[in-house]
């Protein structure tokens, strides 16, 4: 019953979002929403690692960045045909697969703290490479390129990005509820126990890294298509931190939390940046998110999405006391989730 | 010959500044099991407070002292209010300290602005000495001396004092130390303050060494410090020292001969050591 209501709500929300270009002519709004869709894909890919597998990577930007560079370089050097853009998306994902496989194989041998440092260092390595290979990447200044005529229409690209968001969300939901996804969550809960049961933890973690890598590369390629410009900023550790903030604030371990998080962070960022012209203090918007993030890590490990939904549940508790059995199972559910993070 | 002397002193001087950052990181991890991603923030604040105080008072030693104080104070506050809440949970620790790094880094921009500032050395350390055709830059020698003195002091603290014994025992087995009636929480806070203070000192010294400070120097040098402690072995004092000198010297040499690979070579060094010996060169040792 509750599930159906949730689905109807989701459908209405989706229709509203899809109808936005019909009501507004504002390019800024369309671009902002498109940006949110793309970054949400990136944040969801991060959530696969952090929220579902329980590993922290500080090098996730390297997938995002290599995706953006792949499509940028192809469109710049091979022409701006639609088939080139398509090839770029496929190549970006293929590259994401290969790189994730290699990096996972190297760095997953070491455990959480070492892994976090290792990925930070590997991400830095990619950043330096793009910075130094000036002839190919344009270094810090980057390079701009032209996109297929069809994708130049902001509204068309808006729907394309939305389509990708829905598709990725659907595929990743399938993934996390598949037997493999369940094993990943078992690893998140207790790695040793998962190992003791007989699962090859390394192989599952590698699989998770590869899925996250492919998704992040796709997000990066779409980002490149939207910006029509690539520079080293797509590989900077800031990009990883963005995904980290969004995932944690929205709620790690819930794919839609990553979407809510990216919408929240992006919109407030945009809003504060415009206020920044009034008073420069607003340019330091990251502090607010940093503090919110710290509070969430300390007190609401489930993120804002779960914090609000459990508040709502507590509020409804009195009215639903008669359905005791259902409620208690729900409470157990919530407790399980809370303790898991 | 001149080039080599130059590279050598530069490498050791940088290594010493990184050592100040790395040794606290290493002890904090060894004792409390916390990978402190906020450690670079203490370094950053040390650099800014040091430069600021020096600009105001023109007293370099006052600048260093206030940097240490600021770092230690920040360390105590953060440890007491936030970090102590996530003991034992690695995932939360990494996430939390990363957030602290973010906030402290942005706060620096609020106070001192987002741009690079110049950080001059004090008058009596400007210029260089010349011995038989070999030019030695005064400030670099000063950095090396401070690094050695601190290294010696920390070594004596760890091996010859009661606090050192407790810390080393705590690294081995915190529960047992607690059971012996020692308030390990107090020791944690003290060690955290010590590590943060040393990191801040490193930052204050690093400023004039590079000539300028910027809000990104915290994270940049933290990456170097990670490389150092991982290469040397987390929790190992000797490892931090050897790792820092190694990273400093290799960095200086490579940036002279193959500038393109300067930062990459350190990352590769760490990756190589991790793959061959996951505990680092001196990991699992005593000090």
């Amino acid at each position: 019953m509750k599930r159906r209501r949730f689905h109807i709500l989701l459908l209405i929300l989706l229709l509203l979002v899809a109808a936005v270009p019909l009501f507004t002519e504002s390019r800024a709004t369309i671009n902002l929403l498109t940006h949110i869709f793309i970054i949400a894909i990136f944040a969801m890919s991060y959530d696969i690692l952090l929220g579902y597998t329980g590993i922290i990577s500080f090098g996730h930007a390297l997938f995002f960045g290599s995706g953006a560079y792949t499509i940028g370089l192809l469109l710049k050097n091979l022409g701006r045909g639609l088939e080139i853009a398509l090839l770029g998306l496929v190549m970006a994902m293929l590259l994401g697969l290969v790189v994730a496989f290699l990096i996972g194989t190297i760095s997953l041998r070491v455990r959480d703290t070492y892994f976090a440092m290792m990925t930070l260092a590997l991400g830095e390595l990619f950043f330096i490479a793009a910075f130094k290979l000036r002839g190919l990447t344009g270094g810090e200044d980057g390079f701009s390129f032209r996109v297929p005529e069809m994708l130049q229409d902001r509204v068309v690209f808006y729907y394309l990005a939305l389509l990708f968001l829905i598709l990725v969300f659907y595929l990743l939901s399938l993934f996390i509820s598949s037997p493999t996804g369940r094993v990943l969550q078992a690893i998140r809960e207790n790695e040793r126990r998962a190992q003791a049961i007989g699962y090859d933890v390394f192989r599952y973690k590698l699989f998770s890294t590869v899925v996250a890598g492919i998704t992040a590369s796709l997000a990066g390629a779409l980002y490149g298509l939207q910006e029509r410009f690539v520079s080293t900023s797509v590989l900077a550790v800031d990009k990883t931190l963005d995904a980290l903030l969004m995932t944690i604030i929205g709620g790690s371990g819930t794919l839609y939390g990553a979407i809510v998080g990216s919408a929240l962070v992006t919109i407030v960022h945009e809003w504060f940046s415009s206020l920044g012209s009034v008073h420069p203090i607003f340019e330091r918007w990251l502090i607010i998110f940093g503090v919110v993030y710290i509070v969430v890590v300390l007190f609401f490990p489930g993120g804002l999405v779960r914090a609000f939904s459990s508040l709502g549940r507590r509020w409804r508790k009195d009215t639903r006391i008669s359905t005791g059995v259902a409620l208690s199972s729900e409470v157990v559910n919530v407790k399980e989730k809370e303790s898991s993070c | 010959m001149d080039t080599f002397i130059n590279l050598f002193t530069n490498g050791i001087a940088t290594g010493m500044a990184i050592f100040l950052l790395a040794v606290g990181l290493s002890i904090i991890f060894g004792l409390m099991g916390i990978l402190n991603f906020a450690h670079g923030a203490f370094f950053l604040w040390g650099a800014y407070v040091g430069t600021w105080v020096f600009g105001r008072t023109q007293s370099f030693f006052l600048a260093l002292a206030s940097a240490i104080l600021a770092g230690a104070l920040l360390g105590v506050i953060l440890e007491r209010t936030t970090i102590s809440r996530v003991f034992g949970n690695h995932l939360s620790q990494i996430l939390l300290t990363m957030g602290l790094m973010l906030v402290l880094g942005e706060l620096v921009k609020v106070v001192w602005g987002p741009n690079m500032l110049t950080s001059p050395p004090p008058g009596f350390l400007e210029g260089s000495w010349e011995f038989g055709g070999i030019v030695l830059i005064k400030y670099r020698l000063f950095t090396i001396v401070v690094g050695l003195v601190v290294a010696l002091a920390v070594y004596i603290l760890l091996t010859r004092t009661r606090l050192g014994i407790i810390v080393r025992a705590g690294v081995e087995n915190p529960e047992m130390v607690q059971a012996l009636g020692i308030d390990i929480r107090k020791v944690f806070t003290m060690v955290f303050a010590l590590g943060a203070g040393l990191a801040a000192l490193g930052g204050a010294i690093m400023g004039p060494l590079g000539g300028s400070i910027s809000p990104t120097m915290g994270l940049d040098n933290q990456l170097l410090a990670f490389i150092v402690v991982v290469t040397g072995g987390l929790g190992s004092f000797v490892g931090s020292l050897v790792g820092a000198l190694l990273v400093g010297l290799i960095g200086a040499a490579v940036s002279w001969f193959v500038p393109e690979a300067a930062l990459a070579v350190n990352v590769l060094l760490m990756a190589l050591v991790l793959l061959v010996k996951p505990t680092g060169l001196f990991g699992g040792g005593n000090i």
Side-chain angles (χ1 to χ4, degrees):
Chain A
M1 185 62 196
K2 195 167 157 278
R3 219 173 153 70
R4 216 169 109 203
R5 216 186 314 160
F6 178 71
H7 281 145
I8 291 170
L9 215 72
L10 206 67
L11 198 67
I12 293 172
L13 193 70
L14 201 64
L15 285 174
L16 275 178
V17 172
V20 166
L22 304 177
F23 294 113
T24 174
E25 292 281 294
S26 158
R27 273 172 56 107
T29 312
I30 302 271
N31 276 343
L32 182 70
L33 284 172
T34 311
H35 183 76
I36 291 175
F37 300 156
I38 294 171
I39 293 298
I41 296 177
F42 183 48
M44 282 194 296
S45 81
Y46 196 77
D47 200 22
I48 292 292
L49 285 180
L50 177 67
Y52 289 96
T53 321
I55 50 185
I56 302 181
S57 159
F58 282 114
H60 210 51
L62 73 88
F63 300 112
F64 187 80
S66 57
Y69 271 108
T70 305
I71 204 159
L73 287 173
L74 282 177
L75 283 172
K76 187 187 164 206
N77 295 319
L78 295 183
R80 53 188 289 220
L82 196 61
E83 71 281 358
I84 305 285
L86 209 66
L87 178 74
L89 286 179
V90 175
M91 287 296 284
M93 284 158 70
L94 271 179
L95 188 73
L97 189 151
V98 174
V99 173
F101 185 80
L102 288 178
I103 285 186
T105 313
I106 297 171
S107 52
L108 283 170
R109 289 164 187 280
V110 290
R111 305 217 2 138
D112 35 58
T113 40
Y114 287 96
F115 179 78
M117 282 191 273
M118 190 85 152
T119 51
L120 184 68
L122 287 170
E124 193 70 9
L125 208 58
F126 270 65
F127 180 81
I128 296 165
F131 190 80
K132 297 285 185 189
L133 297 174
R134 204 165 281 274
L136 186 67
T137 62
E140 202 176 1
D141 303 327
F143 61 91
S144 58
F145 53 89
R146 308 205 308 160
V147 298
E149 217 148 323
M150 206 184 104
L151 300 183
Q152 279 191 345
D153 189 331
R154 290 295 173 184
V155 177
V156 171
F157 193 69
Y158 176 89
Y159 284 115
L160 187 74
L162 181 60
L163 191 73
F164 267 108
L165 176 65
I166 296 169
L167 201 67
V168 169
F169 179 76
Y170 177 68
L171 289 177
L172 288 183
S173 333
L174 280 187
F175 173 65
I176 54 173
S177 51
S178 72
T180 309
R182 297 285 176 202
V183 175
L184 291 183
Q185 288 163 63
I187 292 172
R188 175 193 70 194
E189 295 303 321
N190 193 331
E191 191 172 332
R192 272 194 202 146
R193 202 173 292 171
Q195 192 140 30
I197 296 171
Y199 289 114
D200 185 349
V201 169
F202 177 80
R203 233 182 52 206
Y204 278 98
K205 277 180 164 180
L206 187 61
F207 197 57
S208 163
T209 312
V210 168
V211 169
I214 296 173
T215 316
S217 297
L218 173 68
L222 290 172
Y223 181 79
L225 275 181
Q226 194 198 3
E227 298 288 313
R228 302 167 194 173
F229 170 77
V230 182
S231 71
T232 48
S233 69
V234 289
L235 283 167
V237 73
D238 303 24
K239 275 277 174 295
T240 306
L241 293 184
D242 279 353
L244 185 66
L245 277 182
M246 290 164 181
T247 309
I248 293 287
I249 288 177
S252 61
T254 57
L255 283 179
Y256 58 92
I259 301 178
V260 172
S262 31
L264 205 68
V265 172
T266 311
I267 289 172
V268 174
H269 172 196
E270 194 70 12
W271 181 43
F272 275 43
S273 298
S274 62
L275 285 178
S277 57
V278 182
H279 195 286
I281 190 79
F282 287 109
E283 276 170 25
R284 303 271 76 84
W285 58 276
L286 203 54
I287 289 188
I288 298 176
F289 278 109
V291 172
V292 171
Y293 165 92
I294 289 170
V295 169
V296 169
V297 170
L298 281 178
F299 303 108
F300 311 100
L304 292 185
V305 170
R306 290 222 193 93
F308 280 119
S309 67
S310 71
L311 265 185
R313 255 187 220 113
R314 212 168 293 163
W315 184 67
R316 286 199 307 269
K317 207 172 176 178
D318 303 326
T319 56
R320 287 176 53 186
I321 207 79
S322 55
T323 55
V325 181
L327 185 71
S328 63
S329 74
E330 229 176 270
V331 169
V332 169
N333 231 339
V334 172
K335 273 188 183 153
E336 262 172 20
K337 277 181 184 166
E338 274 172 356
S339 63
S340 74
C341 300
Chain B
M1 189 64 203
D2 230 25
T3 314
F4 280 102
I5 296 283
N6 219 338
L7 286 180
F8 190 70
T9 53
N10 193 15
I12 299 223
T14 315
M16 281 305 179
I18 298 295
F19 165 72
L20 294 177
L21 184 61
V23 67
L25 193 69
S26 183
I27 298 178
I28 289 172
F29 183 86
L31 181 64
M32 301 152 84
I34 289 179
L35 180 63
N36 185 15
F37 270 85
H39 211 64
F42 302 133
F43 185 82
L44 178 66
W45 273 81
Y48 271 87
V49 168
T51 305
W52 185 73
V53 170
F54 181 62
R56 284 294 164 101
T57 63
Q58 293 304 317
S59 161
F60 194 58
F61 289 99
L62 197 64
L64 293 187
S66 47
I68 296 174
L69 197 70
L73 207 65
L74 265 180
V76 170
I77 293 171
L78 293 189
E79 203 274 341
R80 283 276 147 174
T81 53
T82 57
I83 294 171
S84 58
R85 290 171 187 274
V86 286
F87 275 148
N89 185 343
H90 278 234
L91 221 60
S92 295
Q93 281 167 5
I94 296 176
L95 293 175
L96 175 72
T97 51
M98 196 71 220
L100 293 175
M101 170 82 206
L102 212 64
V103 172
L104 287 175
E106 286 296 305
L107 272 179
V108 159
K109 293 184 197 168
V110 170
V111 179
W112 288 285
N115 298 323
M116 211 177 249
L117 300 179
T118 56
S119 175
F124 64 97
L125 289 174
E126 265 173 312
S128 51
W129 285 301
E130 212 185 304
F131 296 107
I134 297 168
V135 178
L136 293 173
I137 295 169
K138 280 188 197 170
Y139 191 80
R140 281 187 194 163
L141 290 184
F142 169 76
T143 305
I144 295 171
V145 169
V146 172
L148 285 177
V149 168
V150 171
L152 197 66
V154 173
Y155 182 78
I156 289 173
L157 185 78
L158 282 178
T159 53
R160 298 273 183 273
T161 65
R162 194 177 142 72
L163 177 69
I165 292 168
I166 294 171
V167 168
R168 282 190 294 148
V171 170
E172 292 292 320
N173 193 339
E175 285 86 10
M176 187 60 85
V177 174
Q178 180 85 26
L180 289 173
I182 292 157
D183 187 355
I184 196 88
R185 288 281 311 110
K186 251 186 207 149
V187 180
F188 280 177
T189 308
M190 258 195 285
V191 165
F192 205 84
L194 177 75
L198 286 179
L201 175 65
I205 282 184
M206 187 67 123
L209 198 63
S212 64
I213 54 175
S214 73
T216 57
M217 72 188 286
L219 201 59
D220 293 349
N221 286 292
Q222 178 171 305
L223 185 65
L224 275 183
F226 281 163
I227 292 175
V228 163
V229 294
V230 169
T231 310
L234 274 166
S236 157
F237 170 83
V238 181
S240 305
L241 189 59
V242 173
L245 292 177
L246 211 61
V247 164
L249 284 173
I250 291 179
V254 173
S255 65
W256 176 262
F257 295 111
V258 219
E260 290 80 19
L263 273 164
V265 75
N266 287 328
V267 175
L268 292 177
L269 174 77
M270 172 176 100
L272 202 71
V273 170
L274 268 189
L275 289 181
V276 178
K277 194 161 183 271
T279 49
L281 294 175
F282 292 86
N286 272 332
I287 311 169

